[in-house]
Amino acid sequence: MGRPPPPKPAPKAAKGGSKKQTNLERSSYFARREAAKVLKSVLQGDANKRAVGSIKTLIYSPTIRNKKATFALVCQTLKHLPILKEAIEGANVLNGKWKRQEELMYIIAYDILFGQATVVLAGDAEKFLLQRKNALQSALAKLCVKKKVKRVEDLLLQYNPNPDVSKPRYVRVNTLKMDFESAFLELSKQHKQVQKDDIVPDLLVLPPGTDLHDHPLVKNGSIFLQGKASSMVAVSLGPQPGWEVLDACSAPGNKTVHLAALMRGKGKITACELNKDRMKRLEETVKYSGASNVEVLHGNFLNISTEDPLYTKVRAILLDPSCSGSGTAVDRLDHLLPSYTAAQAADVADTARMKNLAAFQSKALAHALSFPAVERVVYSTCSIYQTENEDVVKSVLPLADSLGFHLETALPKWTRRGLPVFEGSEHLLRTDPVVDMEGFFIALFVRKTAVSSPVVSQESEDHGHIKQTEELNRQNQSLRKKPIKRRLLPTRFVRMAEMMSRSYLIRRVQELG
């Protein structure tokens, strides 16, 4: 593509046009406005460093009807955003009431300057910019001259080099609505290369680029488009049906409803989320999945008292707190955000934000380990940095040991493990952002005095439904029958000493954090 082509006359609204054309115009009209709504949320979250969700999460929300068109418009507009801003500024078209709808102006300007389809007079905003199409194209041509490039493609490379990623399409079968084999057979009818994952139960693997967003099984919640590493987290926790479970930082909720599926809808999951907007997304995901054993709690996990009777029976906690997101930056399309630069990606580990995140993560993990009946705690991040991963785990090891916890190997078949920075780091799990195309971290704490964990059969025909073997039941009954040894000190003094010791250790962890 050389210089921008000469402007075409603005198309006139068709009189007595065909129904097909009318439907196309209507579809384009609504797709641009859905895209503008997502773009506004993305740009505001990026500017405030407080995103409601990733670009993909926002686009694939159930409230977005035309996901394919919205995804294309948002991604392409973000990709061309620096150019669009300069062209719009050069044409002096963003003023008056249109300034308050700048995201919609960016979307329509992209369609006019770079889109494949002809923009029709579907709305007032389209009419306004089409009347100024000549000015926009002239501003774009001047920008090419200013940047000393002959093609818009070369201009785009100066602003936003785009990494090439060919990641398999992972699909988690929601066994609350559909059994694994039925989903496998249904997807195999349309896609020849459907494989069963060798690590994660109920996970299917399809070729890169497979588009399933409009598939009926996705729309009705029978399958979730969820990455492999993300799907490993709930499986690592391995809660049994009937347990009480706490998901500490739940939104957008994919891991929450995965827990519900592993528990076969039995027991209770309290899904905690502090951010109000993200909580709404969490509620949508829970409803969409059909998980009836999930209770959403709008609040701060750190404010939940470990002595609250509502949580004294919690046996498993999933802690997936806020993190840098460095392991999923490409997958989340962070490279399209205005704030993203190569220098930022390289230096993020040294920022004050990283230290603040690690302090919060250590505090939250210490709190999770302090619940009286908890037997299993999983700490996970989508970060590649030692500061948020091994260092956080190491900071709570004294407390964990005093409470009877040890690190246990999550998903033993997985070969990539933690950085060798302390004894026991071989139990930690890492995924590689290059080899696995996403960087996740998982640490599994198990209380030593707890009954052995449930067995997750990764090679069983039902692909991983949690089962409790007869041997574990026998051990459980045996433990219950053993006589309790009498303490030398009165019970009340022992409990008081334990509480003082625990409080001291928690305080030390928070001070060190």
Side-chain angles (χ1 to χ4, degrees), residues 5 25 30 38 48 87 104 119 134 176 216 237 257 294 333 365 390 399 401 428 499 504:
E25 291 177 11
F30 286 111
V38 171
N48 299 327
L104 180 58
V119 178
N134 289 353
L176 293 172
L237 184 64
V257 298
V294 176
L333 307 177
L365 182 52
E390 286 85 0
L399 173 65
D401 184 65
L428 308 175
M499 291 176 62
Y504 170 76

Side-chain angles (χ1 to χ4, degrees), residues 42 128 159 209 215 240 258 269 280 377 413 435 489 504:
V42 168
F128 175 80
Y159 284 98
H215 195 284
Q240 297 184 51
H258 192 182
I269 300 172
K280 292 178 181 177
V377 174
K413 288 176 64 177
V435 179
L489 292 174
Y504 170 76

Side-chain angles (χ1 to χ4, degrees), residues 34-46 50-67 70-71 74 78 252 275 277-278 280-281 284 332-333 337:
E34 284 192 324
K37 182 179 178 181
V38 171
L39 184 63
K40 182 176 183 177
S41 182
V42 168
L43 294 178
Q44 286 182 346
D46 185 52
R50 195 176 182 85
V52 174
S54 69
I55 297 171
K56 286 186 175 180
T57 298
L58 292 170
I59 291 172
Y60 298 138
S61 164
T63 58
I64 302 298
R65 298 179 63 183
N66 194 340
K67 293 179 173 56
T70 302
F71 181 80
V74 171
L78 282 169
N275 183 280
D277 292 330
R278 287 172 59 82
K280 292 178 181 177
R281 176 74 178 108
E284 290 174 357
R332 290 185 295 113
L333 307 177
L337 297 174

Side-chain angles (χ1 to χ4, degrees), residues 241-312:
W243 276 17
E244 289 193 18
V245 177
L246 182 57
D247 189 354
C249 307
S250 302
N254 287 343
K255 298 181 184 71
T256 309
V257 298
H258 192 182
L259 289 172
L262 292 172
M263 296 166 65
R264 306 177 194 173
K266 301 176 181 178
K268 178 184 176 183
I269 300 172
T270 301
C272 187
E273 178 55 48
L274 176 60
N275 183 280
K276 187 176 181 180
D277 292 330
R278 287 172 59 82
M279 185 196 72
K280 292 178 181 177
R281 176 74 178 108
L282 169 63
E283 290 175 331
E284 290 174 357
T285 304
V286 172
K287 182 179 179 181
Y288 177 61
S289 72
S292 59
N293 63 330
V294 176
E295 180 181 301
V296 175
L297 174 65
H298 181 208
N300 189 339
F301 166 65
L302 292 175
N303 290 339
I304 297 177
S305 171
T306 58
E307 298 177 358
D308 189 328
L310 292 174
Y311 305 102
T312 53

Side-chain angles (χ1 to χ4, degrees), residues 2 17 23 31 34 74 81 102 110 167 208 223-224 229 238 250 278-279 299 334 348 364-365 371 386 418 473 504:
N23 288 339
E34 284 192 324
V74 171
L81 190 58
E102 59 181 328
Y110 164 77
K167 182 180 176 181
I223 61 176
F224 275 70
S250 302
R278 287 172 59 82
M279 185 196 72
D334 282 3
V348 67
L365 182 52
F371 281 76
Q386 176 183 329
N473 284 331
Y504 170 76

